[in-house]
Amino acid sequence: MSDEDDFMQDSDAEQYDFEYDTDEDENTADVDVENKYYNAKQIKVANPQEAIEEFLGLPALEEEKGDWHAVEHYRELLTYIKSAVTRNYSEKSINNILDFIERMSDDRAALTCMEQFYSLTLQSFQSTNNERLWLKTNIKMAKLWLDRKEYQSLGKKLRQLHEACLKDDGTDDPSKGTYALEIYALEIQMYADMKNNKRLKALYQKALSVKSAVPHPKIMGIIQECGGRMHMSEENWKEAHSAFFESFKSYDEAGSLQRIQVLKYLVLAVMLMKSDINPFESQETKPYKNDPRIAAMTDLVDAYQRDDISKYESVLQKNRDIMADPFISENIDEVTRNMRMKGVLKLIAPYTRFTLDFVAKQLKIAVPEVQEILGYLILDKKIDGKIDQQAGTVEIESQSDIERLEAMAEWSRSVRTLWVTVFSESEGFKDDELAGVQGGGLNRRLISESLDQASKRDGPSMGFLAWNSSENSGESMSI
């Protein structure tokens, strides 16, 4: 056997462990991560849900990572913002993620998760000095606390945000006017929920005075809606109507569904104003006149403006869901009371005496409510009458009879003044005329006594009638 054969035999018997270069495997893993990243980026506009799933799958491709829930995935994604992507891109992406989470949060557990997302974001950007993202995230956090009615935490956060919108000298920073309006909107909502009208009014006026902002129309919609509610609580119906109209326009521009609810408030304000204005005659509201979502309010205002109490009551009975909105339920009673007062006045107009039960049956309301309405009308001097609670009757003094008697009394006084002037201060009758009067059995003294007796017995108007009857009796008299 040759040396070569010995060598080959030894080679066959020996087993070698080959050491493969691991760079190829690492490169393959990197390519997978890169492909997944760019695929997610490419589809994020057309299919955001799938893109999010792709992004969230990135950390799992790294061997040292295990299974992560949403918050842990987000925590991992935040580690890329300092080196892997640009500042503007990371800010935009994080805002999109937070907006998406905010829209998808519909229960208490989701709200708790959102708070963790916001806290992680603030911690991550604490060292980057990104004031814009800091403001946006803190505003989102404040909104979360508002939704959860955590007013103590919210108040502290709002004070912190207000300070961030000031310059070093303590004056408002014009460059942060848009953020300032968002903060005012949150604070106004908080005080509206707390029924603190004094503080709400001051903030509302301050928010309207901000001129350096270009806010999202939804923000102005929120501010004006809260202002309208405030005016309604003060029974300032006209200002409430104006605020709700501006709110509706802003919500409509923003494409917010809240525009429908505010449009209902606008119709409510029109009725409380006791106005004949058609709330759907403007070009902004006209497209919604036949919208089925506000059909009930449209029918209500139509019946109200036509003084059709039966139709008004019928609409309320058939559309109980109107009362589902606490704000409408709180204010519709005033509209109903006004409507019933108009119905009572219209019903009793021909009568001087009627029963409470008669009005109650005609208007289909309870007798105590009829008594309350009539009492208010009497105190407000809309009618002149008296209520007999024991007998359940009402007696009305006819205003037309009073006015007629007053007119006749004035007429009688005028004739008497004329008579005195002619017979006492002028030359009186000529001889031949006086003879004719005396010949007829009448003289000035007799006429004067007749008028005095008639006035004392039957009042001034009957005194005039006595004069008139004597003039038409066929006796000769001339002046």
Side-chain angles (χ1 to χ4, degrees):
M1 182 180 294
S2 64
D3 292 339
E4 182 179 355
D5 292 334
D6 291 339
F7 174 77
M8 292 302 298
Q9 187 176 13
D10 293 339
S11 297
D12 289 337
E14 187 177 0
Q15 295 186 10
Y16 296 92
D17 291 331
F18 295 95
E19 296 183 2
Y20 295 98
D21 191 352
T22 58
D23 288 344
E24 184 177 349
D25 290 341
E26 291 176 359
N27 289 338
T28 302
D30 290 341
V31 169
D32 290 341
V33 172
E34 187 175 353
N35 287 341
K36 200 171 187 66
Y37 171 79
Y38 283 109
N39 180 56
K41 183 177 178 181
Q42 187 175 2
I43 65 174
K44 72 176 183 178
V45 175
N47 194 339
Q49 182 63 42
E50 186 178 346
I52 288 173
E53 292 174 1
E54 287 287 291
F55 279 125
L56 292 176
L58 288 173
L61 293 177
E62 301 179 33
E63 292 182 1
E64 66 272 16
K65 302 293 190 271
D67 294 333
W68 303 90
H69 55 69
V71 175
E72 290 173 334
H73 279 310
Y74 184 65
R75 190 196 307 272
E76 182 64 27
L77 287 174
L78 289 174
T79 63
Y80 295 97
I81 64 174
K82 295 180 181 178
S83 58
V85 292
T86 64
R87 172 172 168 168
N88 287 338
Y89 188 81
S90 64
E91 181 181 333
K92 183 178 178 181
S93 299
I94 287 171
N95 276 324
N96 289 337
I97 291 172
L98 295 179
D99 288 342
F100 177 81
I101 294 169
E102 185 178 350
R103 289 194 301 271
M104 299 300 291
S105 299
D106 54 1
D107 56 33
R108 190 167 186 83
L111 293 176
T112 302
C113 184
M114 280 176 60
E115 186 172 0
Q116 292 178 327
F117 270 84
Y118 297 149
S119 297
L120 285 172
T121 305
L122 291 171
Q123 291 171 14
S124 178
F125 280 85
Q126 195 169 15
S127 60
T128 63
N129 197 27
N130 191 330
E131 187 178 28
R132 186 168 56 185
L133 184 61
W134 183 90
L135 280 167
K136 287 182 179 179
T137 307
N138 272 297
I139 288 173
K140 289 180 183 293
M141 180 80 85
K143 186 178 183 303
L144 174 65
W145 284 337
L146 176 67
D147 293 339
R148 290 162 59 173
K149 301 187 184 300
E150 296 181 12
Y151 298 130
Q152 187 173 0
S153 299
L154 175 59
K156 292 178 181 178
K157 180 63 68 176
L158 290 173
R159 285 192 292 273
Q160 185 182 12
L161 286 167
H162 277 305
E163 290 175 3
C165 291
L166 298 176
K167 294 193 292 186
D168 293 337
D169 61 0
T171 59
D172 292 335
D173 188 344
S175 66
K176 297 175 183 173
T178 301
Y179 296 117
L181 268 182
E182 288 190 60
I183 298 163
Y184 280 133
L186 290 169
E187 196 166 9
I188 284 170
Q189 288 177 87
M190 180 181 74
Y191 285 116
D193 289 347
M194 296 170 69
K195 308 293 184 184
N196 188 339
N197 268 16
K198 183 177 180 181
R199 185 65 181 144
L200 171 58
K201 194 173 213 176
L203 285 168
Y204 176 66
Q205 296 298 334
K206 199 166 184 179
L208 294 182
S209 67
V210 176
K211 304 299 182 185
S212 60
V214 186
H216 191 284
K218 185 177 179 180
I219 298 300
M220 292 310 301
I222 291 171
I223 291 172
Q224 291 287 12
E225 180 187 350
C226 290
R229 289 169 177 264
M230 175 193 71
H231 289 309
M232 289 281 269
S233 68
E234 297 175 342
E235 298 187 2
N236 191 345
W237 315 127
K238 188 175 180 181
E239 292 298 325
H241 173 268
S242 177
F244 283 139
F245 183 63
E246 292 301 321
S247 176
F248 167 77
K249 289 195 298 181
S250 295
Y251 279 134
D252 195 34
E253 183 183 350
S256 171
L257 293 178
Q258 187 63 13
R259 63 190 168 195
I260 297 299
Q261 208 62 27
V262 170
L263 187 54
K264 292 179 183 179
Y265 301 160
L266 177 66
V267 173
L268 180 65
V270 167
M271 291 188 285
L272 287 167
M273 286 169 62
K274 301 178 182 178
S275 171
D276 293 329
I277 296 173
N278 182 353
F280 297 100
E281 66 182 5
S282 70
Q283 64 178 12
E284 292 89 354
T285 59
K286 191 176 291 184
Y288 297 91
K289 182 176 182 179
N290 299 315
D291 192 308
R293 292 170 293 181
I294 59 166
M297 294 300 291
T298 305
D299 292 340
L300 272 184
V301 73
D302 179 65
Y304 185 88
Q305 292 180 336
R306 290 190 294 105
D307 293 341
D308 189 342
I309 181 69
S310 298
K311 177 67 180 296
Y312 179 88
E313 296 285 357
S314 174
V315 172
L316 278 183
Q317 289 293 328
K318 291 178 181 177
N319 298 274
R320 296 285 187 179
D321 58 317
I322 291 177
M323 301 299 185
D325 185 310
F327 182 73
I328 293 179
S329 178
E330 182 182 337
N331 290 278
I332 198 70
D333 287 345
E334 181 71 18
V335 179
T336 302
R337 198 162 92 120
N338 290 341
M339 190 68 187
R340 288 173 178 172
M341 280 195 290
K342 292 198 292 183
V344 168
L345 285 171
K346 187 176 180 180
L347 178 64
I348 68 174
Y351 304 100
T352 57
R353 192 172 187 276
F354 54 86
T355 64
L356 296 173
D357 189 58
F358 164 73
V359 178
K361 287 180 178 178
Q362 291 295 315
L363 299 183
K364 298 178 181 178
I365 57 179
V367 170
E369 188 171 356
V370 172
Q371 184 173 318
E372 182 184 351
I373 291 172
L374 286 168
Y376 177 82
L377 291 172
I378 291 171
L379 289 174
D380 204 36
K381 298 184 178 179
K382 297 285 180 65
I383 58 174
D384 187 5
K386 295 179 180 179
I387 301 175
D388 186 337
Q389 293 184 356
Q390 188 171 1
T393 59
V394 181
E395 290 189 9
I396 304 293
E397 293 186 17
S398 175
Q399 190 65 27
S400 58
D401 287 345
I402 294 173
E403 291 174 354
R404 182 170 58 83
L405 290 174
E406 287 178 350
M408 291 179 68
E410 181 63 29
W411 194 7
S412 176
R413 285 193 292 270
S414 298
V415 171
R416 186 177 183 84
T417 300
L418 177 62
W419 185 87
V420 170
T421 301
V422 170
F423 284 97
S424 300
E425 299 178 7
S426 66
E427 296 178 359
F429 291 128
K430 295 180 180 178
D431 290 341
D432 54 347
E433 292 174 336
L434 184 58
V437 172
Q438 290 174 344
L442 286 174
N443 56 32
R444 285 174 293 180
R445 182 179 176 184
L446 180 60
I447 294 170
S448 178
E449 290 176 353
S450 297
L451 284 172
D452 286 338
Q453 291 173 3
S455 295
K456 290 176 181 178
R457 184 180 67 250
D458 302 313
S461 58
M462 297 309 296
F464 170 73
L465 293 176
W467 164 266
N468 220 20
S469 62
S470 67
E471 187 179 22
N472 298 323
S473 65
E475 297 175 346
S476 175
M477 182 180 295
S478 62
I479 298 176

